[in-house]
Each structure stands twice: as structure tokens, then as C-alpha cells.
Amino acid sequence: MKHTKIGLVGLGTVGTGVARILLENRARISRACGQDVQLARIADVDITRERNLNLPEGILTTNYEEILNDPEISVVVQLIGGLDVERKIMLQMLEAGKNIVTANKALIATCGKEIFDTARKCKCSVAFEAAVGGGIPIIAAISESLAANEICSIEAILNGTCNFILSSMEKTGGDYSTTLSQAQKLGYAEANPAMDVEGKDATQKICILSQIAFGADLDWTHVSRQGVESVRGEDFQYAKSQGYTIRLIASAKRVLENSLEVCVGPCWVRQGTQLAEVDGAFNGVSVVGDAVGHLFFYGQGAGEMPTASAVVADIIDTICGRTAITFNTLNLWNDETCGKISFASPDNIKGEFYLRLVPKNAESQEEIIRILEENEVLVAVTLPNLAGGTVPENPAFAILTNETSEGTLCSVLNSLEQKNLLQQKPVKMRVLR
């Protein structure tokens, strides 16, 4: 019987889950692959930590080069985070003729072209289902199951930490800082949550999906991005008064033939819709195709076993040869398409927006409204005052705009700040109809 040996680099949370599945379900996985599948070597910087995992004796090493230099290991699963070390190891593995399975979205989003060019040159493949959406098979769905479609748009909740924070604030009325602390205690947020709460994690993921859906090679650092740090309890009250809630939405939509509207930020989402119902640390992805219409994918976007499930599925596809076929036919991050699709101009991005503004005084508020109207940012709805009891001297006021361009609105808000009409930075959220 044929056999395949696997090397695993990184035995953290997800790596432990992958090792558990490969060891405990070896017979079933081998049947699925039509050959014996063996986890042969695991490299990690710390091989003494207790992992509640029964590993074969001698399988652990601190030296990843033992995997690199083993000619019998043909599939390498890389589950270490970061960029520099991960990039170096991945390129070395590819140059040694090993196929890669990874969950590192930062590396794929930042170095995708270099990695895929190297894989093509070395006649290897790279599988990365677990890089976006955890256990949700969204990459396979878009790249394979929806291959007959031109993708029109993607709107997604891609970060479980932010969704836990926002859905908790919605339920409890708690403030951002308190809710973040609770998320950290429960293990839903890192000690340093910046990558999540600043929207960087979701931005990297939507850029990966944009490559698959639209062929766009986007610099994720240039995406229009807002985090959730500025969301307050009153924003949820205003949203609820109009039949909405708030979620961090990563979206990509074709605007013109060769340009995409890509943005990440808190949005008003209509209550009762599928995205609004995504609760806690779950993820949800809404995809519209020209033939299939609207589809919605939902599931656990992180965690040991959901992400490990996606990784092991990629391992099986790689061993069976399915990954090699799709890798070659999709031809992601290739010279022909890279650079041909760019970010849409903000003037071409239209939408309706929620604004929460805190003017310096009553005169400032009048001047703010005058400037908005002068620039054709028309007030569709003036939201009710939430102050209750004694009205503060300079209360915040909130409005919903008519359709306007992102470029015009950003220019107007910058002008309000420069004219010193506001006590604090304005809060802006797109309204999803």
C-alpha cells in the first residue's frame, strides 16, 4: 500500500488539533486518501509543554530542518504565525519539493505572489482553506463550487473576537472596554487584541477572498479600514431605534470592470438578516454570484478543532491530488492578473451612512449641518436624542445620510475636524440595506 508522510511545523492550539485528528483518525483518513497517511515529525520551539495529546515517542523536535531534510516527508503543514520566519520556512519547504498546507492568513495576504510563484516553479502546491473562516469551507466554495459564477459581492463577518464583543455589547448594553476585558477572560480575545479589534485580521482575510473571487492582488495595508474601538453603547441604541444592529463587516464588490470596493469596518446591519444573526465568536459570509444568486455560509471561524478540520481536509486533498489540480487551474497570484484590478476611487463608492457627531456647542452644530448640506451630504433621518433626563451642554447628535460617496463624506468629516467644530473624532458607519 502506498504511504505518505506528513511533517507538522507548529504545535500550538491549531497544531495540536491537527495532530489529534491525524493520530486518532488515521485509519479513516488513510481510507479517504487511498493510502496510509502517517504524521511522521512535529517541530515546535517548545516540546516540553503539556498538550493533553498522546504523541508517538521521538516524533517531536525543535529543529524544523529535520522535516526539511527528510526526503520521505512530502506534505508539510505549517501552523506557526508571523511573517519573517514563516516565510523563510515555507519557501525552503517548497524549494525542497514539499507541498504546503497552512492557516497563516497574514503570510498569504502579504506574500501570496512570492509564495505561489515559488510553488509553481518548484511544481508544488499550497493549500490554505483554514486561513479564512476557520471551519467554514469558504475558499473551496468560491474557487470550486462557484466556478461557473462571476462573483458580484462578498459581505462577511470574519473575526470572531470583534463579533463576540459587538454581539455582547448589543445584548448587555456594556461598554467597549468592559466587554473587551470579558472577552479576554473567556479566551475570545488575545492579551494584545490589536490585530483583531483594529480590523487588521478581517482585512487580510477579505483580501485573500478578493484574490480568489476577483483575481485582485491587493495590498491589505491600503484597504479602507476601521476597527471596533470607537463603537459605543449609544450607537447600538441608535441602530436599534431604526431596526438595525452593528457588526464588523469586511466587504468586496466590483464597482467598475477593473476596480473593487473593498472595506472593513463597523456597519449597521438590518435586524433579522443572516449577518445580523451571527452571534458570539461565529463567522458568516454572504456571497452573491451572477448565476447562483445569494448564498450564506456560517460556522465557527476559529478555535482548535474547527480550524484543524479545515487543515486536515486540505491535507487529504493534497495527498489525493485534488489540490494540485485546483492549484494549477486557479493559477492564483499570477503575473497576468496581478496589478490589473485596483481599489475603486472613493468618489465611485456610494452608500448611506450613520454619523455620530459631538459638536463644540449649539452654534457648531448649526455650522456642521450647513456644511453637510452644502456638500450634498443630505440628512435623511435625524435620530432621537438619547440623553434622557438632564441634557448635557453639548450632546452628541446622530444622523443617517442619503446616498453619498465615500470620498465626499470623508472630505466633509475632515473639514469639520479642521474647522475645530467637533469635541471628538466623528463616528461613521456604513448602513447595509
Side-chain angles (χ1 to χ4, degrees):
M1 187 180 190
K2 288 178 63 179
H3 73 277
T4 295
K5 289 187 176 182
I6 297 169
L8 172 60
V9 181
L11 195 60
T13 300
V14 176
T16 299
V18 169
R20 190 184 312 280
I21 293 174
L22 290 174
L23 293 170
E24 294 180 359
N25 298 339
R26 180 175 178 179
R28 181 163 55 80
I29 292 167
S30 295
R31 283 196 302 274
C33 295
Q35 57 185 285
D36 182 49
V37 177
Q38 177 190 359
L39 178 57
R41 207 78 169 125
I42 301 173
D44 194 81
V45 293
D46 181 3
I47 61 174
T48 61
R49 180 164 60 89
E50 175 56 44
R51 291 177 171 88
N52 191 29
L53 185 63
N54 186 22
L55 294 171
E57 187 174 349
I59 197 172
L60 287 171
T61 178
T62 57
N63 184 7
Y64 77 89
E65 291 186 355
E66 292 187 26
I67 295 173
L68 176 67
N69 296 324
D70 187 338
E72 293 190 352
I73 292 177
S74 59
V75 179
V76 174
V77 184
Q78 288 194 224
L79 297 175
I80 54 176
L83 286 176
D84 295 337
V85 173
E86 173 77 0
R87 171 184 166 275
K88 172 189 170 186
I89 294 175
M90 187 172 291
L91 293 175
Q92 286 180 317
M93 295 293 180
L94 289 169
E95 288 164 355
K98 302 181 190 300
N99 296 305
I100 297 294
V101 175
T102 185
N104 189 329
K105 80 271 177 184
L107 184 63
I108 298 296
T110 305
C111 306
K113 188 171 189 315
E114 179 185 25
I115 289 164
F116 277 67
D117 281 347
T118 301
R120 281 186 281 265
K121 182 183 73 174
C122 297
K123 295 181 170 49
C124 296
S125 64
V126 179
F128 55 101
E129 180 66 67
V132 180
I136 303 173
I138 189 61
I139 289 174
I142 295 175
S143 61
E144 298 173 38
S145 302
L146 298 178
N149 289 256
E150 179 174 331
I151 302 301
C152 305
S153 66
I154 300 170
E155 292 178 340
I157 294 168
L158 295 173
N159 185 271
T161 296
C162 289
N163 206 62
F164 177 85
I165 290 170
L166 293 176
S167 57
S168 295
M169 289 176 69
E170 176 188 18
K171 292 175 195 171
T172 66
D175 63 25
Y176 168 76
S177 297
T178 302
T179 309
L180 172 60
S181 296
Q182 180 193 21
Q184 289 170 320
K185 289 175 184 175
L186 294 173
Y188 290 117
E190 302 284 351
N192 179 1
M195 275 295 294
D196 296 312
V197 300
E198 293 175 4
K200 296 176 182 177
D201 174 85
T203 302
Q204 292 173 345
K205 292 172 179 174
I206 195 64
C207 284
I208 293 172
L209 293 183
S210 295
Q211 165 63 208
I212 296 163
F214 305 106
D217 181 23
L218 303 175
D219 183 340
W220 73 268
T221 64
H222 293 168
V223 170
S224 173
R225 170 177 57 83
Q226 289 177 258
V228 298
E229 313 99 304
S230 63
V231 179
R232 299 291 178 263
E234 57 261 42
D235 297 319
F236 278 99
Q237 294 179 59
Y238 284 126
K240 186 177 180 181
S241 74
Q242 302 297 306
Y244 286 82
T245 187
I246 299 170
R247 295 290 185 265
L248 184 81
I249 303 296
S251 62
K253 181 171 77 171
R254 194 183 295 277
V255 177
L256 300 172
E257 182 64 27
N258 293 316
S259 65
L260 289 181
E261 170 193 327
V262 184
C263 54
V264 174
C267 294
W268 276 28
V269 181
R270 176 72 71 180
Q271 289 178 347
T273 59
Q274 289 166 314
L275 282 171
E277 295 301 313
V278 177
D279 191 38
F282 279 73
N283 284 193
V285 185
S286 172
V287 180
V288 177
D290 64 342
V292 75
H294 175 251
L295 295 172
F296 191 76
F297 302 84
Y298 170 84
Q300 296 186 62
E304 177 181 324
M305 298 312 289
T307 309
S309 169
V311 171
V312 175
D314 271 348
I315 293 171
I316 294 170
D317 282 350
T318 298
I319 294 171
C320 291
R322 288 190 288 266
T323 298
I325 294 170
T326 56
F327 183 84
N328 291 325
T329 55
L330 289 173
N331 200 22
L332 298 174
W333 282 281
N334 68 80
D335 290 330
E336 291 182 12
T337 59
C338 284
K340 291 191 175 180
I341 298 177
S342 60
F343 292 110
S345 164
D347 292 331
N348 291 326
I349 300 175
K350 308 291 186 181
E352 300 170 38
F353 296 87
Y354 158 77
L355 302 177
R356 174 166 53 83
L357 308 168
V358 183
K360 284 286 182 72
N361 48 49
E363 292 76 17
S364 295
Q365 180 167 332
E366 293 175 4
E367 178 67 4
I368 289 167
I369 293 173
R370 186 191 68 77
I371 292 172
L372 290 171
E373 292 176 346
E374 187 179 84
N375 288 274
E376 298 186 348
V377 180
L378 303 178
V379 177
V381 179
T382 301
L383 297 171
N385 194 310
L386 299 175
T390 304
V391 178
E393 182 180 350
N394 300 314
F397 76 101
I399 61 171
L400 297 178
T401 73
N402 276 334
E403 184 178 272
T404 186
S405 77
E406 179 90 27
T408 296
L409 184 56
C410 289
S411 177
V412 168
L413 294 178
N414 287 336
S415 175
L416 297 181
E417 291 189 270
Q418 290 170 4
K419 292 177 184 294
N420 201 27
L421 295 172
L422 300 172
Q423 287 190 33
Q424 55 189 243
K425 283 188 72 65
V427 171
K428 169 177 72 75
M429 300 182 194
R430 184 181 295 271
V431 178
L432 303 185
R433 295 296 187 185

